[in-house]
């Protein structure tokens, strides 16, 4: 064997000869690896630090038997000054029998260093074991907290089974793996959740968090908080690890507080009961129910239980895909109807049933359908204020939505309890307004039937203000044949103003009937009574006396106490305000004097008295409202007197007029 042939070999080569294995040859790679060991010395002398390792026993066996042996990835610890490296390194040895060129026998050893491969492999093994242990610890910890743990590959695709997921959702591994997990998400949450997850994987966010509903193995859905984070090897994401935690209770509590806050905000600053309940219905749908209607019971104070029920629907809100109902409608309900039963019992009526199949007691034969199509449950909740059922809230769920249950009933109760104080105030106002309107309407009688004259009256309560005004009108005949017309307005917008209005109206009637005096004198006597009996009261008034004159026509005598001027429209459409006979308002000036004025009423002429609600607007000067009235009256004078009054109300009033309006019109018949 010519040993020089191994000089260029890229692996280490060493040749020993004789039974004591003296170094006969080392090539360059060997010398760079182990240092320049002196030739002629035994391997045990040349490598004293390896003498106890047992490696050299192989030399003895190979020399004796001639059978080659191989050691794979064995550690070699070197520590001597001539070696370029220190510490443990790994080599693969191949040792075989060799015969020299001179016939002597020896051993040929070939070695390859595999330190990098062994180190990398060991590092991977250690990392894998560490990951396995960490994951096992994490799973054990999570299992103790009743969470779900799941693992995906770097692309976000589920790559390992999750016993927790299977236990909660009922999905098998085959159903869960890949992207199958998305099938367990509630359909309303699925698309947004999947899109968010894909975006997180693409952007490799440090933490992905989401809350969505999962379908349960036992049926229904619950909210779970989902968190996932990437597992990195350096800068490379090698997988994702995530958890799902049941947060249904926390979600319900948060939702509850949010809804209550929304209800409080929605009803803030409202005084009208119907406005407040309408705002609440917008909170109930769609967060609690798919449909909500609210009925006011305007006659609840005086209705005996078991009698027919008049309910005014003031709000109706439906979710997407459900038919809309008109929000304002009066309904007359039989005593046995579900709404009447809930009102009389003052306790909820609750029913759960197959979609679209309500029980007979909720939909008696011959009654109009009142539940939305596809409804699966309904709650009729009476709103009891100060012991009286003031309103009824009807909520229903439809289709695939879980039926309404005790939790929703409790939430509805709490919603209404949060607004009990404003509801009580609104109910008190409702009572006051009903009394005031009843008083006011009882005093606003029909005008008398006077031969030769047409008289029409109108009264419109405010549609926007929360108060009742003190407007009034009156018309009656005196014993001498004259006709008295009067109109007035007591300052204030409440029940006391309405009461005072009634007292002043009746007092003026008595003073006018007592003696035949000029209208100014009668108003002066009325003012003395006002300042004596009602110290803080002020009012405006027009008092007019219409007498027949010879040879024809009529004569108007009138006085104005701080009130808007009467309007006279001639048969040809000429319209002008009567500005004479004006004096201060009642209750304002000590010892006032009131003037009287006289104006002829020609055939075909129309005389109009009105309160300031007909001409006043917040955003303009009073003169603009007066001019508008003059123009509209001139244009409408050719119409019959009743139509004339209706036209003026339509033309003059806005949808949200914020004051009461009273008017009285008189027309002298004639050819026009």
């Amino acid at each position: 064997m010519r040993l020089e042939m191994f000089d260029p070999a890229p692996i280490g080569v060493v040749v020993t000869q004789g039974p004591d294995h003296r170094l006969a040859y080392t090539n360059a790679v060997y010398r760079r690896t182990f240092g320049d060991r002196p030739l002629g010395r035994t391997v045990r002398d040349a490598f004293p630090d390896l003498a106890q390792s047992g490696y050299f026993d192989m030399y003895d066996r190979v020399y004796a038997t001639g059978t080659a042996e191989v050691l794979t990835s064995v550690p070699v610890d070197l520590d001597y000054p001539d070696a370029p490296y220190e510490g443990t390194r790994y080599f693969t040895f191949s040792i075989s029998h060799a015969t020299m060129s001179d016939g002597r026998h020896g051993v040929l050893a070939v070695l390859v260093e595999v330190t990098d491969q062994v180190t990398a492999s060991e590092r991977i093994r250690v990392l894998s074991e560490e990951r396995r242990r960490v994951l096992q610890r994490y799973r054990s910890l999570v299992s103790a907290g009743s969470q779900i743990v799941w693992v995906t590959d770097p692309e976000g695709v589920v790559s390992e089974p999750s016993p927790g997921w299977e236990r909660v959702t009922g999905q098998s591994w085959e159903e869960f793996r890949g992207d199958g997990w998305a099938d367990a998400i509630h359909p309303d949450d699925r698309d947004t959740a999947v899109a968010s997850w894909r975006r997180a994987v693409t952007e490799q966010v440090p933490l992905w968090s989401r809350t969505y509903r999962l379908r349960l193995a036992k049926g229904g859905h619950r909210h779970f908080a989902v968190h996932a984070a990437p597992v990195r090897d350096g800068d490379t994401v090698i997988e994702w690890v995530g958890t799902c935690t049941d947060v249904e209770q926390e979600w319900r509590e948060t939702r509850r507080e949010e809804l209550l806050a929304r209800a409080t905000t929605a009803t803030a600053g409202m005084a009208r009961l119907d406005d407040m309940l309408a705002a609440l219905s917008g909170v109930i749908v769609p967060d609690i129910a798919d449909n909500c209607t609210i009925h006011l019971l305007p006659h609840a104070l005086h209705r005996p239980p078991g009698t027919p029920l008049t309910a005014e629907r003031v709000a109706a809100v439906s979710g997407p895909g459900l038919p809309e109902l008109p929000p304002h409608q009066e309904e007359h309900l039989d005593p046995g109807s579900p709404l009447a039963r809930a009102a009389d019992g003052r306790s909820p009526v609750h029913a759960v049933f197959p979609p679209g199949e309500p029980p007979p007691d909720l939909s008696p034969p011959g009654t109009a359908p009142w539940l939305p199509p596809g409804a699966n449950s309904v709650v009729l909740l009476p709103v009891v204020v100060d012991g009286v059922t003031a309103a009824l809230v009807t909520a229903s769920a439809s289709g695939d939505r879980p039926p309404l249950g005790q939790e929703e009933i409790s939430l509805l109760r709490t919603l209404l309890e949060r607004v009990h104080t404003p509801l009580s105030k609104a109910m008190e106002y409702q009572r006051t307004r009903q009394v005031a309107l009843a008083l006011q309407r009882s005093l606003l009688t029909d005008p008398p039937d006077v031969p030769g004259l047409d008289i029409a009256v109108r009264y419109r309560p405010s549609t926007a203000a929360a108060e009742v005004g003190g407007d009034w009108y009156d018309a009656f005949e005196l014993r001498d044949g004259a006709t008295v017309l009067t109109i007035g307005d007591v300052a204030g917008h409440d029940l006391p103003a309405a009461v005072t209005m009634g007292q002043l109206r009746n007092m003026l009637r008595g003073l006018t009937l007592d003696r035949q005096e000029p209208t100014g004198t009668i108003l002066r006597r009325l003012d003395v009574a006002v300042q004596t009996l009602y110290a803080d009261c002020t009012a405006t008034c027009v008092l007019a006396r219409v007498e027949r004159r010879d040879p024809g026509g009529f004569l108007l005598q009138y006085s104005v106490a701080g009130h808007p001027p009467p309007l006279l429209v001639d048969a040809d459409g000429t319209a002008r305000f009567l500005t004479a006979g004006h004096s201060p308002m009642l209750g304002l000036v000590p010892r006032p004097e009131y003037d009287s004025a006289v104006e002829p009423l020609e055939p075909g002429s129309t005389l109009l008295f009105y309160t300031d609600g007909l001409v006043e607007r917040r955003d303009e000067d009073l003169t603009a409202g007066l001019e508008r009235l003059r123009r509209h009256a001139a244009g409408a004078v050719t119409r019959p007197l009743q139509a004339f009054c209706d036209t003026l109300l339509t033309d003059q009033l806005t949808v949200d007029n914020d004051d009461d309006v009273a008017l009285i019109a008189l027309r002298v018949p004639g050819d026009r």
Side-chain angles (χ1 to χ4, degrees), residues 519 549 554-559 578 580-581 596-601:
T519 54
R549 67 175 182 176
F554 290 84
L555 186 67
L556 169 69
Q557 180 190 133
Y558 69 96
S559 296
L578 303 181
S596 301
V598 176
E599 184 75 27
L601 299 178

Side-chain angles (χ1 to χ4, degrees), residues 498-514:
V499 172
T500 302
M501 173 271 292
Q503 294 172 337
L504 293 188
R505 172 188 176 275
N506 291 334
M507 192 181 301
L508 182 58
R509 268 196 166 202
L511 293 173
T512 305
L513 290 168
D514 178 53

Side-chain angles (χ1 to χ4, degrees), residues 334-355:
D334 294 333
S337 69
L339 286 171
R341 294 203 312 271
D344 291 340
R346 298 180 188 174
S347 61
V349 174
H350 176 220
V352 177
F353 42 86

